[in-house]
Amino acid sequence: AKAAYENSQSTYERYKALHEAGGVSAQNLDNVKTQYEVNKANWETVGKVVHALAPISGYVTKVAVNESEDVKKETVLVTVADLRKIKASIQVSEDEINDVKKGGKAFAEWQGLKISGVISQVDMAMDPMTQSFNADIIFDNPNAQIKAGVTADITILNEDKNSESITLARKDLIKKGNDFYVYVFQNGKSILKKVELGKSSGTNVEILSGINEGEKVITEGQTFLENNTKVKIIN
């Protein structure tokens, strides 16, 4: 292929000079040029077969073959990753999907490292297999500090600047019928208060009403309490 390319290149250059001097017709020059371009394309194709070009710049994270092995068509040779940015996929429940929007901010934590990202894609339909919606988040990963393929804790930020909320762990709630209550410490006694629940995230739940900021919620020993039970706080 290389010999054919170099020979046709020399012929094409010679015919161009002859054509400029009036020695060959334009038709003959076009025929030689066509053959030259065909041989050039063949030579470039051979080069691409012998030298595998990576589609992106990045880090080689895995080598799947060794030199001199019999490699079949479509065999994976290496894995190349651009670790300056990494993508995470999360599963979102139908109760939370309306709060997850493209362009929303998020951050991920892994082994004490924390990076920020932006939601790049949110499914419009539920996956019938997982009964959830998939969302992708792209994170900036300076210095490739977080490795590809790890499992990280991801938090999506609520950017509603006018919203302030109180959250409690689910274990701190007391359910009676269809209603939820908490015990708060007031004047040395346990006071039972009904609360209205909002959105939930993991083991935490938003409290829309029933308690105020600054109130002391009793989180241990609730099963031994009743309304107006005397309580002593022990440090």
Side-chain angles (χ1 to χ4, degrees), residues 21-165:
V24 295
S25 66
Q27 180 65 47
N28 287 336
L29 178 63
D30 288 341
N31 292 338
V32 171
K33 181 181 179 182
T34 299
Q35 188 61 47
Y36 160 67
E37 291 176 344
V38 169
N39 290 335
K40 180 182 179 182
N42 290 338
W43 172 237
E44 291 175 347
T45 299
V46 170
K48 292 178 180 178
V49 172
V50 175
H51 302 286
L53 301 179
I56 61 172
S57 298
Y59 295 87
V60 176
T61 59
K62 180 181 179 181
V63 179
V65 297
N66 295 317
E67 190 174 353
S68 78
E69 285 186 351
D70 183 15
V71 179
K72 305 297 183 181
K73 182 181 178 182
E74 298 182 356
T75 298
V76 175
L77 304 179
V78 298
T79 301
V80 180
D82 182 0
L83 297 180
R84 294 173 299 178
K85 289 184 179 292
I86 54 179
K87 181 178 77 172
S89 294
I90 61 173
Q91 305 302 315
V92 184
S93 70
E94 59 181 302
D95 295 331
E96 299 173 324
I97 189 60
N98 287 332
D99 298 319
V100 179
K101 296 179 174 60
K102 184 177 180 179
K105 295 181 180 180
F107 64 85
E109 291 184 276
W110 176 74
Q111 294 190 359
L113 300 172
K114 186 174 180 179
I115 56 176
S116 59
V118 176
I119 300 172
S120 61
Q121 182 270 335
V122 181
D123 283 357
M124 299 299 293
M126 177 183 286
D127 186 333
M129 298 295 294
T130 63
Q131 291 294 301
S132 62
F133 297 82
N134 184 79
D136 293 334
I137 308 173
I138 303 296
F139 293 94
D140 291 322
N141 189 28
N143 302 320
Q145 56 184 338
I146 293 185
K147 308 306 179 186
V150 301
T151 301
D153 293 325
I154 296 176
T155 301
I156 296 176
L157 303 181
N158 179 4
E159 296 186 335
D160 185 357
K161 299 291 192 286
N162 298 320
S163 174
E164 294 184 356
S165 61

Side-chain angles (χ1 to χ4, degrees), residues 2-3 18 24-25 56 125 138 152 155 162 164 173 187 190 209 212 217-218 228-229:
K2 183 180 180 183
L18 289 173
V24 295
S25 66
I56 61 172
I138 303 296
T155 301
N162 298 320
E164 294 184 356
L173 300 175
N187 301 321
S190 60
S209 64
N212 300 313
V217 177
I218 300 174
N228 283 314
T229 299

